Structure formats: C-alpha cells, structure tokens
C-alpha cells in the first residue's frame, strides 16, 4: 500500500482527550497509559444507555435492560420523549488529519449528544470540551445540545433520576479553534506516532 493511500486520522473523543491532557500537568507517558486503559463499568453503562435511547419508544416506563445493564426510571423527573435516535457518521479533513465522529442525533440545525454521568452536573466541563465544536464544524450546524442523564448506582440497577440540558452555539472563531487543535494533535502524532492510527483513505471506518 502506497503512502498516498494512507491518511492520519483521529476520533473526536481522542482530540478531546488530547485537549484535556494539554491543560493538565501530566506527562506524555501518563496520557498514553490513560488512553490504553479498558473501559470502566460506568463507560460501558453509557454505551448501553445510548443503545437503549435508540431503541425505546416515547412513553412512561419504569425499567429497561440492555447489554446486561438495568436502568431504573421510577424516580425520573420529567418526560423521556426519545425514540428512533440514529447516529450520524461524519468526518472532515483538517490539514493532514482526518477527524472522525458519530453524532448521536442531528435534527435540522441542531446536533444532540447524550451523556451519562455519576457525578454532579458540571456545565463548564462540557462548555470547554472540543467535542461540540468539532461536531458543529464537521456537520455545518449552528446549535449543539448536551442531554446529560444523572445516574445513581444501586445494588442491581442504575437509577436515572434527572436529565440536564445544555445548549451551545456556533461562534465566529469556532472553525479556527478546531483547526488549531487538529494541527497541535498532528504535530504531536509526528513525534509520537503511537497516538494515531493510519488507515486506508478509501476504506475509512467512522467510529
């Protein structure tokens, strides 16, 4: 395979991890070790909740199970008007770097991402994230909404009691900020190639 058939690529989540690391006081070895860690049960539960949201129909219900995780909604405050949610694969070249992602939901001019957290809702953390900026830039949309489910771990299930919404908007320098972070990542990948995967440009899987 020729070098021309190769493309340097990174997921939106990896770029966000890289952004977070740049602002931390941790060294590069710590960062690579962190990336190589297996998913935690909380992360697996988040994946299961995404699958549940895609399959459920709007209505009132108490409990649902998916992939071995049980979610209890008996104490949920509000209405779950979800169902038929489909992920939207997307990608965009920033210089030599292909950035890849899967948006949870795209409706009109709005991109929505669903999160599951076991700690307090930290709006500032989501506002600082590069994730929403890249999705707006890649999908050419103007509005991004985080829907954050608050979960409490019980002996046999996860109790979902609240959902916090945070809406963010495109700003004039958004594309420039995405280009800047992508360029910083690309330079780091040249020095530390272990951080980035190289794949066939014509058979790129968006993940």
């Amino acid at each position: 395979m020729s070098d021309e058939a190769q493309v340097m690529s990174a997921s939106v989540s990896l770029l966000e991890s890289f952004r977070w690391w740049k602002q931390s006081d941790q060294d590069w070895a710590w960062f690579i070790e962190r990336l190589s860690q297996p998913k935690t049960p909380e992360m697996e539960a988040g994946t299961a909740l995404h699958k549940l949201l895609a399959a459920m129909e709007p209505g009132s219900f108490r409990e649902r199970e998916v992939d071995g995780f049980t979610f209890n909604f008996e104490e949920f405050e509000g209405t779950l008007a979800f169902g038929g949610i489909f992920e939207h694969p997307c990608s965009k070249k920033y210089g030599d770097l292909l950035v890849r992602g899967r948006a949870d939901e795209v409706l009109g001019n709005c991109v929505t991402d669903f999160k599951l957290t076991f700690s307090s809702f930290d709006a500032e953390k989501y506002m600082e994230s590069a994730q929403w900026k890249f999705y707006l830039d890649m999908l050419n949309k103007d509005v991004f909404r985080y829907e954050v489910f608050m979960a409490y771990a019980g002996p046999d299930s996860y109790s979902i009691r609240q959902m916090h919404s945070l809406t963010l908007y495109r700003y004039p320098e958004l594309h420039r900020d995405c280009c800047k972070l992508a360029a910083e990542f690309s330079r780091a990948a040249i020095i530390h190639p272990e951080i980035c995967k190289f794949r066939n440009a014509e058979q790129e899987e968006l993940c």
Side-chain angles (χ1 to χ4, degrees):
M1 186 180 300
S2 66
D3 292 340
E4 288 76 16
Q6 297 288 320
V7 60
M8 181 167 61
S9 66
S11 66
V12 171
S13 60
L14 178 55
L15 282 168
E16 167 53 20
S17 295
F18 178 74
R19 182 204 66 82
W20 181 91
W21 168 78
K22 284 171 73 291
Q23 296 183 348
S24 75
D25 58 358
Q26 302 293 337
D27 60 20
W28 184 260
W30 180 92
F31 179 52
I32 295 299
E33 176 66 21
R34 182 175 184 268
L35 291 178
S36 64
Q37 294 298 314
K39 285 187 176 182
T40 64
E42 290 78 11
M43 294 169 66
E44 296 285 1
T47 300
L49 180 64
H50 276 76
K51 186 178 294 187
L52 173 61
L53 293 175
M56 71 168 51
E57 297 181 358
S60 177
F61 49 86
R62 293 185 176 182
E63 196 169 85
R64 287 288 189 275
E65 189 274 335
V66 60
D67 292 347
F69 292 92
T70 300
F71 299 98
N72 187 299
F73 295 88
E74 289 186 353
E75 299 181 54
F76 184 79
E77 301 175 3
T79 302
L80 290 173
F82 301 116
I85 295 172
F86 300 100
E87 290 186 330
H88 291 254
C90 54
S91 64
K92 186 172 181 175
K93 286 290 292 293
Y94 294 86
D96 295 330
L97 180 69
L98 178 69
V99 178
R100 304 168 285 108
R102 287 186 181 273
D104 287 345
E105 184 177 57
V106 180
L107 292 175
N109 198 32
C110 182
V111 182
T112 301
D113 189 69
F114 299 96
K115 298 290 188 185
L116 180 67
T117 182
F118 295 86
S119 59
S120 59
F121 176 67
D122 185 354
E124 185 175 353
K125 179 186 72 173
Y126 294 105
M127 293 171 65
E128 292 177 348
S129 173
Q131 179 190 39
W132 67 273
K133 301 173 186 177
F134 274 103
Y135 278 124
L136 289 186
D137 197 52
M138 290 192 292
L139 292 164
N140 195 29
K141 304 299 182 182
D142 296 322
V143 183
F144 190 97
R145 188 174 72 246
Y146 281 111
E147 300 286 10
V148 184
F149 289 88
M150 305 292 294
Y152 302 84
D156 302 311
S157 65
Y158 292 106
S159 177
I160 310 295
R161 303 177 187 176
Q162 294 178 309
M163 183 180 71
H164 294 277
S165 296
L166 176 64
T167 303
L168 301 163
Y169 301 90
R170 174 183 292 274
Y171 58 93
E173 300 82 12
L174 184 141
H175 176 68
R176 182 199 65 185
D177 290 346
C178 290
C179 290
K180 180 182 178 182
L181 182 60
E184 291 172 345
F185 180 92
S186 296
R187 289 193 293 269
I190 292 174
I191 302 172
H192 304 281
E194 69 272 17
I195 195 173
C196 206
K197 296 180 181 179
F198 291 81
R199 298 181 179 179
N200 187 293
E202 297 180 354
Q203 300 177 355
E204 179 70 6
E205 289 186 3
L206 304 174
C207 58

